Amino acid sequence: MLWRITYFLLWQVVGGGLGWWEGGPWGAALGAALAGWVWFAWDLLRGARVLRWLRTGDLTDVPAMRGMWGEAADRARRLLRRQEAEIRSSDSRLQEILAALQATPNGVVLLDAQARIEWCNQMAASHFGFDAQRDMMQSIGNLVRDPEFTAYLAAQDFTHDVVLEGRLSTPSRPVRLSVHLHPYGDGRTLLLSRDVTALEQAEAMRRDFVANVSHEIRTPLTVLMGFVETLQTLPLSAEERSRYLGMMAQQALRMQSVVQDLLTLSRLEGSPPPGMAEWTPVFALMHRCEEDGRALSGLLTQNQPRPHTMVFPSADALRAEGEIAGVPAELQSALSNLISNAVRYTPAGGTITVGWQRLADGRAVFSVQDTGPGIAPEHIPRLTERFYRVDRSRSRETGGTGLGLAIVKHVLQRHGATLDIASTLGKGSVFSVTFPANRLRGFSLPG
């Protein structure tokens, strides 16, 4: 500021000196006044240049000048550059936060004070069917029309979540969403949604599993206790005592079978997948399965006028099928279980056909076809659930525990195989197991 005053006085001194030289004292006064006005106009022009640049804020067109206006322009330029750097940094952090919100497995929706959508990630758009561009600033209540959510939003009690039915939910494949609102800022709200279908199904399966295990154990245990009480309180003949002891042994065996199958499932779930080091001839595996199947068929139809008709591939054909990698005991258990189920549920005189077919891509299909009563379509997706039975009384009569197909599913998953079930009521069922090509060797592909 001192230099500015000095510069102004210097202009007046020079103007006054020139005026004195031209016109004496009056000329000096006039020259000094004129010089002051010229300096004022020139300074005003410099200020106008700075003001015009400040209005545009273009850092590439900063006016180059000295003095106070030059320093003001330079300071403003540095301030603008600092602000631009802060804005870029803030925008970068904002983009990182939005990218993180996009990557989260939960749905995220930012709502303003009027519950209008300010932003949402792709997961939320998928959960609720939003369009990230079209539905911006639309009321969430107009887009999510579930009565439970409407009541939840209106109550303004966000201490808990609300579980809604997903937009893609169907009776066969239900979808459940947990939605929780969290107030923040000045009246704004954060909506979080997550798919809890698997959690609810797992909880339902846990409850069913505990109830089923309790029921499976409690029923024979009740029978045993009744027989024990009978033996303790009633005078029985040797024949009656022997008959009761036989029934008790049968119930104990049933409980032992359930416990053994549960232990097998636990071992399968807790052990690592089998490697590719152990190879078993397909012929040997199928031969053991055939022996088990025919033995069970003979036992179940010993008092029937007609036995089962059981068809297996020829020994020569199976010897040409090479070897399969995996745990032999597990593979035999799974394949024998499918054959045993067909034997148990096929009436005497029916036909059970077991096949092994190679595919052009190197895979192999093991199949069991029966002429039993068949299975209704609504039961097929649940057949591999633990303790699930289409006909409970029929399963218990034939000695089933309700865990066989669950064991089959786990064994096949561990060996990379898949199970397919096709059935028609009144005509029978076909259970097919497809083994991957990398677990088979020693055969030539069909030409």
Side-chain angles (χ1 to χ4, degrees):
M1 182 61 71
L2 181 61
W3 280 103
R4 181 177 175 81
I5 295 174
T6 303
Y7 201 51
F8 174 72
L9 293 176
L10 183 61
W11 270 71
Q12 287 189 318
V13 168
V14 172
L18 291 175
W20 180 278
W21 183 65
E22 290 290 338
W26 287 102
L30 182 60
L34 182 61
W37 279 104
V38 170
W39 179 89
F40 178 75
W42 176 71
D43 188 69
L44 189 63
L45 179 62
R46 283 160 51 90
R49 286 181 60 193
V50 174
L51 183 61
R52 184 170 61 252
W53 169 72
L54 288 174
R55 286 171 179 167
T56 61
D58 186 2
L59 293 177
T60 62
D61 189 28
V62 183
M65 58 183 68
R66 298 179 180 276
M68 186 182 72
W69 290 116
E71 183 179 354
D74 183 64
R75 289 179 178 272
R77 175 184 58 81
R78 283 182 285 176
L79 180 61
L80 288 174
R81 283 186 175 175
R82 189 181 303 115
Q83 288 179 340
E84 282 193 352
E86 291 177 355
I87 290 173
R88 285 195 298 270
S89 177
S90 298
D91 185 66
S92 176
R93 288 197 297 270
L94 175 61
Q95 293 305 318
E96 290 176 358
I97 292 173
L98 293 180
L101 293 178
Q102 285 288 7
T104 180
N106 297 330
V108 180
V109 183
L110 303 182
L111 305 174
D112 65 7
Q114 285 73 44
R116 294 175 300 191
I117 299 174
E118 293 183 321
W119 183 86
C120 70
N121 65 356
Q122 290 299 320
M123 186 59 69
S126 174
H127 283 168
F128 301 107
F130 294 159
D131 186 303
Q133 301 299 325
R134 180 196 63 205
D135 294 332
M136 202 60 59
M137 300 311 296
Q138 295 294 316
S139 174
I140 187 74
N142 294 335
L143 300 175
V144 182
R145 295 184 174 274
D146 191 293
E148 293 187 28
F149 178 77
T150 302
Y152 176 67
L153 185 63
Q156 295 293 302
D157 180 11
F158 303 144
T159 57
H160 60 90
D161 64 345
V162 60
V163 178
L164 312 176
E165 187 177 272
R167 67 185 185 93
L168 300 178
S169 180
T170 61
S172 60
R173 296 191 64 181
V175 178
R176 303 286 287 171
L177 298 177
S178 170
V179 178
H180 201 167
L181 293 173
H182 301 269
Y184 76 99
D186 187 14
R188 285 178 162 76
T189 311
L190 171 68
L191 184 150
L192 297 178
S193 62
R194 60 191 180 103
D195 191 330
V196 295
T197 306
L199 292 176
E200 290 203 345
Q201 289 177 343
E203 178 62 21
M205 289 176 63
R206 185 193 65 80
R207 290 193 301 267
D208 291 344
F209 176 73
V210 172
N212 285 325
V213 169
S214 302
H215 178 74
E216 293 294 332
I217 298 296
R218 184 175 63 247
T219 301
L221 190 59
T222 303
V223 175
L224 277 174
M225 291 175 62
F227 285 149
V228 169
E229 184 179 353
T230 299
L231 291 172
Q232 289 176 335
T233 57
L234 296 179
L236 300 174
S237 64
E239 182 181 351
E240 290 175 327
R241 184 179 295 273
S242 176
R243 183 165 61 89
Y244 283 141
L245 288 174
M247 293 185 202
M248 292 171 66
Q250 183 182 8
Q251 296 300 322
L253 182 62
R254 177 179 165 189
M255 285 193 294
Q256 184 182 21
S257 298
V258 172
V259 172
Q260 185 62 43
D261 283 350
L262 287 173
L263 291 175
T264 300
L265 275 173
S266 177
R267 179 180 56 80
L268 290 173
E269 292 176 342
S271 58
M276 306 290 288
E278 191 172 8
W279 293 84
T280 303
V282 173
F283 167 74
L285 180 65
M286 293 288 288
H287 181 66
R288 290 193 291 269
C289 292
E290 181 176 355
E291 288 182 339
D292 293 344
R294 291 191 184 279
L296 179 62
S297 174
L299 180 64
L300 295 179
T301 60
Q302 59 184 344
N303 297 321
Q304 301 295 329
R306 294 177 56 198
H308 291 123
T309 300
M310 303 192 70
V311 181
F312 287 83
S314 67
D316 292 338
L318 290 176
R319 286 192 180 95
E321 292 298 331
E323 298 175 315
I324 183 170
V327 181
E330 292 184 11
L331 291 172
Q332 182 188 350
S333 172
L335 302 188
S336 291
N337 204 301
L338 295 178
I339 297 174
S340 299
N341 279 349
V343 171
R344 286 191 177 99
Y345 289 99
T346 300
T351 301
I352 298 161
T353 304
V354 179
W356 183 280
Q357 178 186 8
R358 286 179 295 163
L359 303 180
D361 57 5
R363 295 179 298 163
V365 178
F366 168 84
S367 61
V368 181
Q369 181 176 3
D370 63 57
T371 56
I375 305 168
E378 64 269 19
H379 295 297
I380 292 178
R382 301 190 60 189
L383 286 180
T384 56
E385 293 181 13
R386 301 178 185 188
F387 296 110
Y388 186 82
R389 294 187 177 96
V390 177
D391 185 344
R392 291 184 176 272
S393 61
R394 170 71 174 166
S395 178
R396 291 196 179 94
E397 287 172 5
T398 55
T401 63
L403 295 170
L405 287 179
I407 294 175
V408 170
K409 179 184 71 172
H410 280 79
V411 170
L412 298 183
Q413 286 177 345
R414 284 165 48 79
H415 288 79
T418 57
L419 175 65
D420 296 304
I421 304 173
S423 185
T424 303
L425 281 176
K427 295 185 178 180
S429 308
V430 180
F431 288 74
S432 303
V433 177
T434 304
F435 290 100
N438 65 334
R439 287 195 172 268
L440 302 165
R441 73 178 185 185
F443 60 84
S444 58
L445 295 176

